[in-house]
mmCIF file of all heavy atoms in Angstrom:
data_model
loop_
_atom_site.group_PDB
_atom_site.id
_atom_site.type_symbol
_atom_site.label_atom_id
_atom_site.label_comp_id
_atom_site.label_asym_id
_atom_site.label_seq_id
_atom_site.Cartn_x
_atom_site.Cartn_y
_atom_site.Cartn_z
ATOM 1 N N ALA A 243 82.273 116.563 96.506
ATOM 2 C CA ALA A 243 82.882 116.639 97.835
ATOM 3 C C ALA A 243 84.324 117.076 97.610
ATOM 4 O O ALA A 243 85.216 116.262 97.364
ATOM 5 C CB ALA A 243 82.823 115.286 98.533
ATOM 6 N N ARG A 244 84.531 118.381 97.642
ATOM 7 C CA ARG A 244 85.767 118.991 97.170
ATOM 8 C C ARG A 244 86.954 118.835 98.123
ATOM 9 O O ARG A 244 88.046 118.478 97.716
ATOM 10 C CB ARG A 244 85.511 120.485 96.912
ATOM 11 C CG ARG A 244 86.734 121.347 96.720
ATOM 12 C CD ARG A 244 87.536 120.989 95.497
ATOM 13 N NE ARG A 244 88.674 121.902 95.317
ATOM 14 C CZ ARG A 244 89.577 121.798 94.358
ATOM 15 N NH1 ARG A 244 89.489 120.806 93.494
ATOM 16 N NH2 ARG A 244 90.553 122.654 94.255
ATOM 17 N N ARG A 245 86.720 119.112 99.426
ATOM 18 C CA ARG A 245 87.865 119.159 100.339
ATOM 19 C C ARG A 245 87.478 118.618 101.714
ATOM 20 O O ARG A 245 86.351 118.789 102.168
ATOM 21 C CB ARG A 245 88.355 120.611 100.476
ATOM 22 C CG ARG A 245 89.616 120.787 101.315
ATOM 23 C CD ARG A 245 89.981 122.261 101.421
ATOM 24 N NE ARG A 245 91.168 122.459 102.261
ATOM 25 C CZ ARG A 245 91.543 123.652 102.754
ATOM 26 N NH1 ARG A 245 90.827 124.733 102.457
ATOM 27 N NH2 ARG A 245 92.613 123.754 103.522
ATOM 28 N N LEU A 246 88.444 117.955 102.342
ATOM 29 C CA LEU A 246 88.262 117.472 103.704
ATOM 30 C C LEU A 246 89.494 117.830 104.519
ATOM 31 O O LEU A 246 90.623 117.556 104.102
ATOM 32 C CB LEU A 246 88.064 115.949 103.721
ATOM 33 C CG LEU A 246 87.971 115.296 105.107
ATOM 34 C CD1 LEU A 246 86.695 115.724 105.830
ATOM 35 C CD2 LEU A 246 88.033 113.770 104.995
ATOM 36 N N VAL A 247 89.252 118.462 105.668
ATOM 37 C CA VAL A 247 90.334 118.756 106.615
ATOM 38 C C VAL A 247 89.920 118.139 107.949
ATOM 39 O O VAL A 247 88.872 118.484 108.504
ATOM 40 C CB VAL A 247 90.554 120.270 106.789
ATOM 41 C CG1 VAL A 247 91.731 120.524 107.733
ATOM 42 C CG2 VAL A 247 90.797 120.948 105.435
ATOM 43 N N ILE A 248 90.741 117.230 108.455
ATOM 44 C CA ILE A 248 90.380 116.508 109.668
ATOM 45 C C ILE A 248 91.638 116.156 110.449
ATOM 46 O O ILE A 248 92.678 115.854 109.852
ATOM 47 C CB ILE A 248 89.580 115.230 109.299
ATOM 48 C CG1 ILE A 248 89.003 114.558 110.542
ATOM 49 C CG2 ILE A 248 90.428 114.255 108.501
ATOM 50 C CD1 ILE A 248 88.013 113.445 110.216
ATOM 51 N N PRO A 249 91.578 116.220 111.791
ATOM 52 C CA PRO A 249 92.750 115.818 112.577
ATOM 53 C C PRO A 249 93.113 114.361 112.295
ATOM 54 O O PRO A 249 92.242 113.503 112.143
ATOM 55 C CB PRO A 249 92.268 115.996 114.027
ATOM 56 C CG PRO A 249 91.168 117.000 113.953
ATOM 57 C CD PRO A 249 90.487 116.736 112.642
ATOM 58 N N HIS A 250 94.405 114.102 112.241
ATOM 59 C CA HIS A 250 94.853 112.733 111.997
ATOM 60 C C HIS A 250 94.509 111.865 113.202
ATOM 61 O O HIS A 250 94.577 112.318 114.357
ATOM 62 C CB HIS A 250 96.367 112.707 111.753
ATOM 63 C CG HIS A 250 96.849 111.439 111.138
ATOM 64 N ND1 HIS A 250 97.091 110.296 111.883
ATOM 65 C CD2 HIS A 250 97.108 111.100 109.840
ATOM 66 C CE1 HIS A 250 97.488 109.331 111.081
ATOM 67 N NE2 HIS A 250 97.508 109.780 109.835
ATOM 68 N N PRO A 251 94.111 110.605 112.987
ATOM 69 C CA PRO A 251 93.721 109.754 114.118
ATOM 70 C C PRO A 251 94.831 109.499 115.126
ATOM 71 O O PRO A 251 94.557 109.109 116.268
ATOM 72 C CB PRO A 251 93.260 108.460 113.439
ATOM 73 C CG PRO A 251 93.869 108.473 112.077
ATOM 74 C CD PRO A 251 93.916 109.910 111.693
ATOM 75 N N ARG A 252 96.070 109.727 114.751
ATOM 76 C CA ARG A 252 97.172 109.518 115.699
ATOM 77 C C ARG A 252 97.386 110.725 116.609
ATOM 78 O O ARG A 252 98.250 110.697 117.492
ATOM 79 C CB ARG A 252 98.461 109.157 114.965
ATOM 80 C CG ARG A 252 98.417 107.769 114.358
ATOM 81 C CD ARG A 252 99.757 107.294 113.867
ATOM 82 N NE ARG A 252 99.649 105.923 113.377
ATOM 83 C CZ ARG A 252 99.864 104.840 114.115
ATOM 84 N NH1 ARG A 252 100.190 104.970 115.386
ATOM 85 N NH2 ARG A 252 99.736 103.641 113.592
ATOM 86 N N GLY A 253 96.603 111.791 116.388
ATOM 87 C CA GLY A 253 96.643 112.931 117.293
ATOM 88 C C GLY A 253 97.769 113.902 116.980
ATOM 89 O O GLY A 253 98.335 113.919 115.885
ATOM 90 N N GLY A 254 98.078 114.735 117.988
ATOM 91 C CA GLY A 254 99.066 115.783 117.779
ATOM 92 C C GLY A 254 98.486 116.906 116.927
ATOM 93 O O GLY A 254 97.266 117.089 116.843
ATOM 94 N N ASP A 255 99.370 117.653 116.288
ATOM 95 C CA ASP A 255 98.932 118.771 115.447
ATOM 96 C C ASP A 255 98.757 118.363 113.982
ATOM 97 O O ASP A 255 98.470 119.201 113.133
ATOM 98 C CB ASP A 255 99.957 119.922 115.525
ATOM 99 C CG ASP A 255 100.066 120.492 116.933
ATOM 100 O OD1 ASP A 255 99.035 120.462 117.641
ATOM 101 O OD2 ASP A 255 101.160 120.937 117.325
ATOM 102 N N ARG A 256 98.934 117.092 113.708
ATOM 103 C CA ARG A 256 98.885 116.637 112.322
ATOM 104 C C ARG A 256 97.466 116.669 111.767
ATOM 105 O O ARG A 256 96.520 116.238 112.433
ATOM 106 C CB ARG A 256 99.444 115.221 112.239
ATOM 107 C CG ARG A 256 99.596 114.676 110.834
ATOM 108 C CD ARG A 256 100.237 113.299 110.888
ATOM 109 N NE ARG A 256 100.265 112.669 109.582
ATOM 110 C CZ ARG A 256 100.635 111.413 109.369
ATOM 111 N NH1 ARG A 256 101.012 110.670 110.394
ATOM 112 N NH2 ARG A 256 100.626 110.904 108.156
ATOM 113 N N LEU A 257 97.314 117.188 110.554
ATOM 114 C CA LEU A 257 96.021 117.259 109.890
ATOM 115 C C LEU A 257 96.064 116.498 108.569
ATOM 116 O O LEU A 257 97.094 116.443 107.902
ATOM 117 C CB LEU A 257 95.633 118.712 109.592
ATOM 118 C CG LEU A 257 95.257 119.620 110.757
ATOM 119 C CD1 LEU A 257 95.052 121.039 110.247
ATOM 120 C CD2 LEU A 257 94.011 119.131 111.465
ATOM 121 N N ILE A 258 94.944 115.923 108.215
ATOM 122 C CA ILE A 258 94.749 115.394 106.865
ATOM 123 C C ILE A 258 93.991 116.477 106.100
ATOM 124 O O ILE A 258 92.895 116.871 106.500
ATOM 125 C CB ILE A 258 93.933 114.088 106.892
ATOM 126 C CG1 ILE A 258 94.664 113.026 107.700
ATOM 127 C CG2 ILE A 258 93.650 113.593 105.475
ATOM 128 C CD1 ILE A 258 93.816 111.797 108.000
ATOM 129 N N ASP A 259 94.554 116.980 105.043
ATOM 130 C CA ASP A 259 93.935 118.052 104.260
ATOM 131 C C ASP A 259 94.038 117.656 102.787
ATOM 132 O O ASP A 259 95.106 117.740 102.189
ATOM 133 C CB ASP A 259 94.653 119.379 104.517
ATOM 134 C CG ASP A 259 93.967 120.574 103.853
ATOM 135 O OD1 ASP A 259 93.095 120.359 102.987
ATOM 136 O OD2 ASP A 259 94.305 121.718 104.197
ATOM 137 N N VAL A 260 92.924 117.213 102.221
ATOM 138 C CA VAL A 260 92.929 116.658 100.870
ATOM 139 C C VAL A 260 91.834 117.321 100.034
ATOM 140 O O VAL A 260 90.729 117.559 100.524
ATOM 141 C CB VAL A 260 92.708 115.136 100.892
ATOM 142 C CG1 VAL A 260 92.855 114.555 99.489
ATOM 143 C CG2 VAL A 260 93.684 114.463 101.845
ATOM 144 N N SER A 261 92.146 117.598 98.767
ATOM 145 C CA SER A 261 91.172 118.154 97.829
ATOM 146 C C SER A 261 91.019 117.220 96.638
ATOM 147 O O SER A 261 91.989 116.597 96.201
ATOM 148 C CB SER A 261 91.599 119.532 97.343
ATOM 149 O OG SER A 261 91.619 120.461 98.409
ATOM 150 N N ALA A 262 89.791 117.145 96.121
ATOM 151 C CA ALA A 262 89.499 116.293 94.959
ATOM 152 C C ALA A 262 89.312 117.164 93.723
ATOM 153 O O ALA A 262 88.741 118.254 93.801
ATOM 154 C CB ALA A 262 88.235 115.472 95.204
ATOM 155 N N PRO A 263 89.758 116.698 92.557
ATOM 156 C CA PRO A 263 89.548 117.455 91.320
ATOM 157 C C PRO A 263 88.100 117.353 90.857
ATOM 158 O O PRO A 263 87.346 116.486 91.316
ATOM 159 C CB PRO A 263 90.492 116.758 90.337
ATOM 160 C CG PRO A 263 90.531 115.335 90.829
ATOM 161 C CD PRO A 263 90.481 115.423 92.331
ATOM 162 N N LEU A 264 87.699 118.225 89.962
ATOM 163 C CA LEU A 264 86.366 118.149 89.384
ATOM 164 C C LEU A 264 86.202 116.839 88.623
ATOM 165 O O LEU A 264 87.111 116.420 87.897
ATOM 166 C CB LEU A 264 86.129 119.318 88.430
ATOM 167 C CG LEU A 264 85.988 120.707 89.056
ATOM 168 C CD1 LEU A 264 86.163 121.774 87.977
ATOM 169 C CD2 LEU A 264 84.646 120.864 89.749
ATOM 170 N N PRO A 265 85.046 116.191 88.739
ATOM 171 C CA PRO A 265 84.791 115.001 87.919
ATOM 172 C C PRO A 265 84.614 115.432 86.460
ATOM 173 O O PRO A 265 84.349 116.614 86.179
ATOM 174 C CB PRO A 265 83.500 114.439 88.508
ATOM 175 C CG PRO A 265 82.805 115.623 89.073
ATOM 176 C CD PRO A 265 83.896 116.513 89.605
ATOM 177 N N PRO A 266 84.737 114.519 85.522
ATOM 178 C CA PRO A 266 84.691 114.894 84.101
ATOM 179 C C PRO A 266 83.476 115.730 83.693
ATOM 180 O O PRO A 266 83.614 116.715 82.956
ATOM 181 C CB PRO A 266 84.718 113.541 83.386
ATOM 182 C CG PRO A 266 85.471 112.648 84.317
ATOM 183 C CD PRO A 266 85.066 113.085 85.689
ATOM 184 N N HIS A 267 82.275 115.378 84.164
ATOM 185 C CA HIS A 267 81.096 116.130 83.722
ATOM 186 C C HIS A 267 81.074 117.542 84.294
ATOM 187 O O HIS A 267 80.614 118.478 83.627
ATOM 188 C CB HIS A 267 79.803 115.381 84.066
ATOM 189 C CG HIS A 267 79.479 115.316 85.522
ATOM 190 N ND1 HIS A 267 80.110 114.453 86.387
ATOM 191 C CD2 HIS A 267 78.572 116.012 86.287
ATOM 192 C CE1 HIS A 267 79.606 114.599 87.606
ATOM 193 N NE2 HIS A 267 78.684 115.548 87.574
ATOM 194 N N MET A 268 81.620 117.734 85.505
ATOM 195 C CA MET A 268 81.688 119.081 86.069
ATOM 196 C C MET A 268 82.830 119.876 85.446
ATOM 197 O O MET A 268 82.705 121.086 85.216
ATOM 198 C CB MET A 268 81.833 119.013 87.591
ATOM 199 C CG MET A 268 80.558 118.563 88.292
ATOM 200 S SD MET A 268 80.676 118.506 90.112
ATOM 201 C CE MET A 268 80.797 120.268 90.510
ATOM 202 N N GLN A 269 83.939 119.204 85.138
ATOM 203 C CA GLN A 269 85.035 119.897 84.460
ATOM 204 C C GLN A 269 84.570 120.418 83.103
ATOM 205 O O GLN A 269 84.922 121.540 82.700
ATOM 206 C CB GLN A 269 86.224 118.952 84.281
ATOM 207 C CG GLN A 269 87.454 119.612 83.654
ATOM 208 C CD GLN A 269 88.023 120.722 84.511
ATOM 209 O OE1 GLN A 269 88.518 120.477 85.611
ATOM 210 N NE2 GLN A 269 87.945 121.966 84.036
ATOM 211 N N GLN A 270 83.764 119.625 82.409
ATOM 212 C CA GLN A 270 83.209 120.050 81.125
ATOM 213 C C GLN A 270 82.352 121.304 81.308
ATOM 214 O O GLN A 270 82.456 122.263 80.534
ATOM 215 C CB GLN A 270 82.380 118.929 80.517
ATOM 216 C CG GLN A 270 81.718 119.284 79.184
ATOM 217 C CD GLN A 270 80.913 118.122 78.615
ATOM 218 O OE1 GLN A 270 81.251 116.963 78.843
ATOM 219 N NE2 GLN A 270 79.864 118.430 77.884
#
């Protein structure tokens, strides 16, 4: 689950945009 972009619960134009690194077995 690489990336999630979602409006912040407090509203407005703020976004939560987060990416996860590869887990060890996938990085290998």
Side-chain angles (χ1 to χ4, degrees):
R244 167 64 177 177
R245 185 182 178 195
L246 175 67
V247 183
I248 189 170
H250 196 278
R252 289 191 176 268
D255 297 329
R256 186 177 173 188
L257 289 174
I258 299 169
D259 186 346
V260 186
S261 295
L264 290 164
H267 70 283
M268 288 181 69
Q269 183 63 66
Q270 178 179 330

